[in-house]
């Protein structure tokens, strides 16, 4: 059973930075992909950043140039470095992984950006 546990959320001033962590019980190098989604109140859940087993990455247009996804295989952890945070980044952030044919979700961590 793969489990994903997020941490690093909190309250930050606009323009500030946070680093989210996702610790996985499975071996992340064996996953097809792992990434971050977010969901703001009354909004659809959206993909923020994705990294594949081959280290290719993809980002939502709204976060390109500000967010960076990375992984540490030795620690079995994926990170989302968030710089230049904006109030519209406020959401619950969820770690997600795919290890075919299955998908896994973390419990979510709240990020709040004040103006």
């Amino acid at each position: 059973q793969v489990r994903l546990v997020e941490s690093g959320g909190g309250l930050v001033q606009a323009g500030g930075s946070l680093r989210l962590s996702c610790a996985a019980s499975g071996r992340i190098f064996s996953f097809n992909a792992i990434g971050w989604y977010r969901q703001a109140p009354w909004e659809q859940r959206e993909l923020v950043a994705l990294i594949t087993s081959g280290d290719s990455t993809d980002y939502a247009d709204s976060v390109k140039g500000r967010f960076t996804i990375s992984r540490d295989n030795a620690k079995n952890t994926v990170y989302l470095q968030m710089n230049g945070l904006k109030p519209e980044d406020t959401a619950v952030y969820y770690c997600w992984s795919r290890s075919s044919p299955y998908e896994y979700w973390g419990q979510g961590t709240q990020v709040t950006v004040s103006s």
Side-chain angles (χ1 to χ4, degrees), residues 80-92:
L80 185 67
Q81 179 66 45
M82 305 186 293
N83 298 325
L85 283 162
K86 304 175 180 179
E88 53 263 43
D89 296 319
T90 295
V92 177

Side-chain angles (χ1 to χ4, degrees), residues 46-60:
E46 66 173 344
L47 179 64
V48 176
L50 181 71
I51 187 167
T52 70
S53 59
D55 279 342
S56 63
T57 59
D58 197 15
Y59 298 91

Side-chain angles (χ1 to χ4, degrees), residues 24-41:
S25 62
R27 300 300 179 187
I28 60 174
F29 61 81
S30 69
F31 294 174
N32 302 126
I34 189 165
W36 294 90
Y37 283 75
R38 68 185 181 188
Q39 188 167 23

